[in-house]
Amino acid sequence: MELYFLGTNAGVPSLQRNVTSIALRLMEERRSMWLFDCGEGTQHQFLKSPLKLSKLEKIFITHLHGDHIFGLPGLLSSRAYQGGVTPLTIYGPPGIRKYVETSLELSQSRVNYELNIVEHEGGIIFEDDMFVVESAFLEHRIDSYGYRIMEKDRPGSIDPSKLAVHGLKPGPLFGRLKRGESIELEDGVIVHPEDVLGSPKPGKVITILGDTRPTPNVVPLSAGADVVVHEATFLHELASTAHEYYHSTALQAAEAAKEAGAGRLILTHFSSRYKDAEHLEPLLLEAQSVFPNTRLAMEHELIQI
C-alpha cells in the first residue's frame, strides 16, 4: 500500500507543481490503484510516473472545484488507449454524474469500458471483503468531503508449530488456509484457519481530506489513522485569509492530526505563493511544532504506508 502524489498545488497549476491528484497503490492488496481527485493535467502526470491507467479501479472526488476535476474527461478518454478495459467506478458529490456524462457526450468521447458513477452525501460508500471507505462532510465553499479508507484486518501468519501438529507441509493447502478456507486432510480431519494462524494483523487506515476549513468532522475521519493527508494552503500568519477562502493552515492541519491521534501527517494543496522547497519549509516546520511526524507531499514521490 503506497501513496503517490500527482499534484500538490492549490487552485491553479504552477511551474513547480500541478493541481490536486493522489494515487493510492494497492498492488499487493488487490492488483489495482485508486485515485483521489483529478485536476487538470493529471493524465500528463501519469506519463511521468510509474503508475498505469490500466490498473485504475476507482476514482474518489472530494468536491467539484475545477482544480480537482478538470482532468477527469481527458483521463477517462485516454484510459482505454493505455490498456484500461476493466470496470471503473467514480465516487463523488451530487453533480459529478452530470459533469462526467455531459463532458463525454459533448466531446463525443467513447469510453469502451464499464464506467459507473456513484453520487453520495457521506457515510459508508464502498465495502467489500478487503476494504471499507467512509466519507464525511467538510467545510468549504461548495460541498466537500473527506475519505477514510479502512483496510479490514488481515489473516495472521501461519504458525509452523501448529502445522506440525497436523502433519502439514508447505504446499497449496497453505494458500487456502491463508485465504481463510478450511481444509480436509486425508484422514478426514478438518483444519480451520484459526487452528494454524496467528493473531490477525490490523488493517491500515488512511484518511484523505478534501479542501476544508477546520471542522469537527476531520477528527472522526482521521481518528487513529496510520496516515492523514490534509490540505495546508497557507502558513498560520494568513489564518484569516485561509478562513475567508475556506482553507486550512499548516498549523491547523497539525492540530487536527494531533487531536485525532493519527500516526503520520502529510501536507498538500499548497498556495502558489510557496514556490519551491525552500518556501515550503516554513509550512513543514510550523506543522512539526505541533505534530512532529509530519512531512510535505512532493510530486512523483512514492510513500510507503
Side-chain angles (χ1 to χ4, degrees):
M1 188 181 295
E2 302 155 321
L3 283 171
Y4 190 96
F5 287 83
L6 292 153
T8 62
N9 218 48
V12 296
S14 69
L15 291 175
Q16 295 79 23
R17 299 185 298 270
N18 200 48
V19 284
T20 301
S21 187
I22 306 167
L24 175 61
R25 292 184 70 184
L26 300 166
M27 300 309 293
E28 290 186 10
E29 293 79 8
R30 56 199 299 134
R31 307 301 301 169
S32 70
M33 172 184 60
W34 295 356
L35 193 67
F36 292 81
D37 287 331
C38 188
E40 180 182 1
T42 294
Q43 66 170 313
H44 292 274
Q45 294 290 80
F46 264 91
L47 296 175
K48 302 172 187 176
S49 80
L51 307 177
K52 297 184 182 300
L53 278 178
S54 60
K55 298 296 184 181
L56 183 58
E57 179 189 10
K58 297 180 182 296
I59 302 176
F60 297 87
I61 299 299
T62 62
H63 63 293
L64 302 184
H65 275 154
D67 58 320
H68 295 256
I69 64 169
F70 280 170
L72 262 178
L75 182 140
L76 295 174
S77 299
S78 299
R79 180 175 180 259
Y81 295 105
Q82 298 186 33
V85 295
T86 54
L88 174 64
T89 303
I90 301 172
Y91 301 83
I96 190 62
R97 177 183 298 278
K98 182 178 180 181
Y99 172 74
V100 170
E101 291 182 346
T102 301
S103 298
L104 296 178
E105 178 186 355
L106 293 180
S107 62
Q108 297 186 27
S109 300
R110 291 173 173 80
V111 174
N112 59 354
Y113 51 85
E114 180 182 338
L115 179 61
N116 303 298
I117 301 174
V118 177
E119 295 188 333
H120 69 82
E121 296 181 78
I124 301 296
I125 62 171
F126 170 75
E127 183 172 6
D128 65 5
D129 60 349
M130 298 179 67
F131 286 91
V132 179
V133 180
E134 180 181 1
S135 179
F137 193 66
L138 302 176
E139 187 175 345
H140 195 45
R141 288 192 295 117
I142 61 174
D143 289 358
S144 181
Y145 290 86
Y147 293 102
R148 179 180 174 91
I149 305 97
M150 295 169 280
E151 181 187 25
K152 294 184 177 180
D153 290 351
R154 294 160 290 166
S157 299
I158 291 178
D159 187 331
S161 64
K162 294 181 179 180
L163 288 175
V165 171
H166 298 284
L168 284 167
K169 297 180 180 180
L173 294 180
F174 273 37
R176 291 177 56 189
L177 288 166
K178 189 74 173 176
R179 291 193 297 270
E181 301 176 21
S182 298
I183 61 170
E184 182 176 358
L185 304 182
E186 292 180 359
D187 58 6
V189 172
I190 303 297
V191 180
H192 303 287
E194 57 269 25
D195 297 333
V196 297
L197 297 179
S199 300
K201 299 176 182 178
K204 300 293 186 181
V205 177
I206 302 166
T207 299
I208 298 176
L209 302 168
D211 292 6
T212 188
R213 285 173 174 169
T215 186
N217 274 350
V218 168
V219 173
L221 272 176
S222 307
D226 294 274
V227 175
V228 173
V229 180
H230 197 304
E231 69 134 286
T233 308
F234 300 105
L235 283 166
H236 201 67
E237 64 190 25
L238 294 174
S240 60
T241 301
H243 183 81
E244 179 183 356
Y245 289 99
Y246 290 83
H247 286 297
S248 297
T249 67
L251 183 67
Q252 290 166 340
E255 290 171 340
K258 181 177 180 180
E259 184 179 354
R264 282 189 282 169
L265 172 64
I266 303 176
L267 302 179
T268 188
H269 199 269
F270 309 118
S271 167
S272 294
R273 70 179 63 213
Y274 310 113
K275 290 183 170 55
D276 51 29
E278 179 182 352
H279 294 94
L280 289 174
E281 185 72 11
L283 284 95
L284 177 62
L285 295 176
E286 179 174 277
Q288 287 179 335
S289 70
V290 171
F291 191 82
N293 198 7
T294 301
R295 67 182 296 170
L296 302 174
M298 294 295 176
E299 293 181 18
H300 300 295
E301 182 177 25
L302 195 64
I303 299 176
Q304 297 285 340
I305 304 301

